[in-house]
Amino acid sequence: MSRSPIDDLGFARLDVDRAARTGDPEVVFGTGKTPEQIVGALAGLHRAHPDRAVLATRLSAEAMERCRAELPDADLDEVARTAVLGPPPTPVGVVAVVGAGTGDLPVMSECAATVRVFGSAPDMVVDVGVAGLHRLLAERDRIDAADVVVAVAGMEAALPSVLGGLTGVTLIGVPTSVGYGWNMDGVTAWLAMMNSCAPGILTVNVDNGFGAGVAAARIARRIAR
């Protein structure tokens, strides 16, 4: 008897066939869900995919505590606000996750956790914003060696534009809502990345480390295999 492609939990209908269709299991988006619902959905996805990691993102402190209590084998990241249950796949390819400042670490960490679960190896290059350009240039060879680069930046978000002129590696920009004054919750950074004069920059939505991580890992897997 074939397995149903849907696991109906009452509060959620888990797409347990997604890994067969796309290569990657469904992910639990924690915002708006209760801690009980998050634990239930993550456990349900783990039952459907016992041999590989499943991911929950955007977890509140209460949800993290519930995961810690009820899913003791879960790998919890307080900075990324993620929970990973099950073994990540053997990584294929490398994704350099490059961040402008320490304030961008939550988005960087979410991206790195996603890259790992989606089957590539993240290399986090932290605090190399253009206010100290020498810091970025010192890591140029390391960044250029990656299969894909994700550039995470708030403020005026100049980092992806500078990287776009330094490397020909596929580059994904992640604007963050970090910034002084009227940065419009990251809209300033988003507009800067969308209007970069450096060619080849792809941009995701504000603070969307998850979306960038999925895309980067899938590209890296294809390039490196």
Side-chain angles (χ1 to χ4, degrees):
M1 182 181 296
S2 62
R3 185 184 69 177
S4 169
I6 299 295
D7 183 3
D8 192 344
L9 302 181
F11 62 85
R13 292 161 54 87
L14 301 181
D15 182 5
V16 296
D17 198 40
R18 187 176 302 184
R21 298 194 314 270
T22 69
D24 302 294
E26 184 177 9
V27 172
V28 180
F29 178 60
T31 302
K33 295 183 178 69
T34 67
E36 295 81 5
Q37 289 170 340
I38 291 167
V39 167
L42 193 60
L45 289 171
H46 180 59
R47 286 193 300 271
H49 310 288
D51 297 326
R52 65 165 297 171
V54 290
L55 172 68
T57 67
R58 302 297 171 98
L59 302 184
S60 65
E62 293 78 12
M64 296 284 282
E65 285 303 314
R66 191 68 175 245
C67 288
R68 185 174 288 110
E70 298 193 21
L71 303 172
D73 293 330
D75 181 11
L76 305 178
D77 188 325
E78 302 280 353
V79 178
R81 296 167 56 200
T82 57
V84 178
L85 190 57
T90 301
V92 178
V94 175
V95 176
V97 184
V98 184
T102 305
D104 300 308
L105 267 174
V107 177
M108 289 183 67
S109 299
E110 180 183 73
C111 181
T114 303
V115 166
R116 191 175 294 110
V117 170
F118 276 68
S120 193
D123 180 18
M124 290 183 64
V125 183
V126 178
D127 196 22
V128 290
V130 300
L133 193 56
H134 57 289
R135 298 177 299 190
L136 178 62
L137 295 176
E139 302 290 352
R140 180 178 175 182
D141 290 344
R142 174 182 170 188
I143 295 167
D144 199 51
D147 297 294
V148 183
V149 176
V150 177
V152 184
M155 300 290 189
E156 85 286 26
L159 179 63
S161 292
V162 173
L163 279 172
L166 293 176
T167 181
V169 179
T170 298
L171 179 59
I172 301 172
V174 186
T176 70
S177 52
V178 173
Y180 288 114
W182 195 45
N183 72 327
M184 297 180 284
D185 293 325
V187 173
T188 298
W190 178 78
L191 288 171
M193 292 187 188
M194 290 294 290
N195 290 281
S196 174
C197 67
I201 298 174
L202 308 173
T203 303
V204 298
N205 209 340
V206 177
D207 292 336
N208 190 8
F210 167 74
V214 172
R218 287 178 170 175
I219 294 168
R221 286 176 352 206
R222 290 277 181 151
I223 291 173
R225 71 182 182 182

